[in-house]
Amino acid sequence: MDHKIIDGKKHALIIKDEVRGRVHALKDLGWKPRLVSIDIGEIGAVRLFIKNQQKACAEVGIEFENRHFPLDVTQREVMAAIHALNADPRVTGIILQRPVPRPLALEELENAIHPSKDVEGMSSSNIGNIIYGDSSLGPCTSLASVELLKTTGLSLRGLEVVVVGHSEIVGKPVALLLVEELATVTICHHGTRNLTYHTRQADALIVAVGKPNLITEDMVKPGAAVIDIGINQIDVTLPDGTPGKKTVGDVDFEGVKKAAGWITPVPGGVGPVTVAMLLRNTVLSTERQKKRYEEAMRA
Ligand code: NAP
C-alpha cells in the first residue's frame, strides 16, 4: 500500500489482537464480556453495522446479542429494556444503534444506558468525562480518529489541527480529545466564513461532515495528515455500464492524496478502527465491572 495511506484495517487488527488477549484473561477468571445491541425499525445501514459488530465481536471472543424493536415501539418500552440490561450483571456493554427513528427521543435513551455499560461512549457522563481528562470510555469514532492520527508519528503537542464538522457524535468529542493531547484545535462548521482559509493552516485535518468532495486538493496544506471520517454513498456507472453505488468519504481522495503527507481511505480507514474501539471499550467496561464487584465483595 502507498506509504501515504493510513491502513485502518491493519490498525484494527492490532487493536483486535490486544482485545482478544484481554478477553481471554477475563474468561479465565469467569468473566464473559457481553455486548447487547439495540436497534429500532428497519434501516439497511443499521443492519450492516450490526452484522459488522457481531462479526468483530466473534473474532475476539466477545458475546454479542441483538435486541431488535419494531418501528412502533414506545419510548417507555425501550427505556424499560435499557433499565433491564443495566441491571443484568451478565451484560457488560450496551450499544444503541443510530439513527433512532422519530418520535423516539435519542438523548433520553442514550442517557438511560448506565455510563459503566455505555461502550459507545455517547452518554453525557462519558462525553463529560473527556473535559476532565478521562477519555477511557470515549466515543469510538473520535477515539479511532486520534489513534490513526497518532500512527503518523506526528507529535500532537502544539499541532495545528482543524476539525471540520461539530456534531455531538464526532466533531465536538474529537476536538476535546485533541485538546487533551495539547493540540491547537480549530473547529469549523456551517458558521465558518472561509473554510479553505482554516483547512490550509492545518497540520492535521479531520473531516466529519457527510458531504462527498467537500475537501479538495487546494484546501490542504502540503504534507498535512488528513483523517476522513465521512461515509457517503454516491451514484456511479459500473464497468458494465449499469448504474451502481460507491462509498466515499468527505475528501476528494485522489486529489488530496497528492498534497497530503498521510490520508485515510474510505472505506478501510476510520471505519474498521471505530469497530475495534467498540471492542476495546467493551473489554474495558467488563474489566471495570469485575474490579467494582471484587471491591464490593471485600468491603
Ligand atoms: P452530522 O450530525 O450531520 O454533522 C455534520 C456536521 O458537519 C455538522 O456539525 C454540520 O454543521 C457540519 N457541516 C455541514 N456542512 C458543512 C460545511 N459545508 N462546512 C463545514 N461544516 C459543515 O453528521 P455526523 O454524525 O457527525 O457524521 C459526519 C459524517 O461522518 C457522516 O458522513 C457519517 O456517516 C460519518 N460517520 C462515520 C463514522 C465512522 O465510523 N467512520 C462514524 C460516525 C459518523 P452544522 O450543524 O452547523 O450544519
Side-chain angles (χ1 to χ4, degrees):
M1 193 179 258
D2 186 330
H3 71 278
K4 282 188 176 185
I5 299 174
I6 303 175
D7 185 349
K9 287 185 190 159
K10 186 182 96 183
H11 292 292
L13 285 178
I14 296 168
I15 297 165
K16 282 180 187 170
D17 277 345
E18 169 219 306
V19 171
R20 194 178 295 109
R22 289 163 66 181
V23 170
H24 280 295
L26 281 165
K27 283 186 171 172
D28 283 346
L29 298 169
W31 283 77
K32 290 183 188 163
R34 181 180 182 80
L35 176 60
V36 176
S37 155
I38 297 175
D39 76 293
I40 302 151
E42 307 299 332
I43 302 161
V46 171
R47 299 253 74 79
L48 187 63
F49 294 157
I50 296 169
K51 202 175 125 207
N52 289 342
Q53 289 161 6
Q54 187 159 21
K55 183 170 166 281
C57 281
E59 283 168 15
V60 298
I62 294 176
E63 291 179 4
F64 184 90
E65 181 191 333
N66 189 38
R67 299 264 177 108
H68 173 72
F69 292 91
L71 200 54
D72 60 358
V73 71
T74 63
Q75 181 86 7
R76 189 189 280 239
E77 285 166 331
V78 186
M79 289 289 280
I82 292 174
H83 290 313
L85 294 170
N86 284 339
D88 185 343
R90 293 164 304 172
V91 175
T92 59
I94 304 168
I95 176 168
L96 178 66
Q97 306 288 349
R98 288 167 179 245
V100 164
R102 289 178 188 207
L104 297 177
L106 169 69
E107 220 176 295
E108 189 186 24
L109 297 177
E110 214 126 57
N111 283 315
I113 298 174
H114 193 280
S116 67
K117 297 191 180 187
D118 167 35
V119 291
E120 210 192 357
M122 282 310 302
S123 64
S124 304
S125 166
N126 283 330
I127 297 250
N129 281 342
I130 302 175
I131 302 256
Y132 296 101
D134 174 11
S135 60
S136 51
L137 274 186
C140 300
T141 305
S142 305
L143 291 175
S145 306
V146 175
E147 184 95 1
L148 287 175
L149 183 55
K150 284 181 177 173
T151 68
T152 61
L154 289 170
S155 166
L156 298 193
R157 189 188 178 98
L159 199 73
E160 294 282 343
V161 184
V162 171
V163 177
V164 187
H166 68 155
S167 70
E168 71 272 20
I169 184 169
V170 197
K172 283 177 193 157
V174 83
L176 288 174
L177 290 174
L178 288 161
V179 167
E180 280 305 310
E181 299 279 352
L182 296 182
T184 302
V185 184
T186 303
I187 308 177
C188 297
H189 39 66
H190 250 130
T192 303
R193 293 207 181 102
N194 186 341
L195 182 61
T196 303
Y197 166 80
H198 292 285
T199 59
R200 276 196 193 146
Q201 318 289 319
D203 300 319
L205 182 60
I206 301 193
V207 192
V209 172
K211 288 193 177 154
N213 294 322
L214 178 71
I215 304 297
T216 47
E217 184 185 349
D218 58 310
M219 297 169 77
V220 175
K221 180 175 173 178
V226 179
I227 309 289
D228 188 357
I229 298 174
I231 303 175
N232 309 286
Q233 297 288 322
I234 58 164
D235 295 323
V236 289
T237 305
L238 298 173
D240 64 2
T242 57
K245 296 274 182 200
K246 185 181 174 201
T247 302
V248 297
D250 290 344
V251 173
D252 166 24
F253 183 79
E254 290 307 327
V256 169
K257 197 174 80 165
K258 291 181 209 149
W262 299 267
I263 185 167
T264 58
V266 179
V270 175
V273 182
T274 297
V275 177
M277 287 299 171
L278 177 70
L279 304 176
R280 189 186 261 172
N281 278 357
T282 304
V283 80
L284 176 66
S285 79
T286 314
E287 289 164 349
R288 287 184 173 170
Q289 285 163 53
K290 172 179 170 291
K291 189 165 173 250
R292 266 196 302 276
Y293 175 80
E294 288 167 351
E295 282 168 0
M297 286 297 103
R298 276 198 295 271

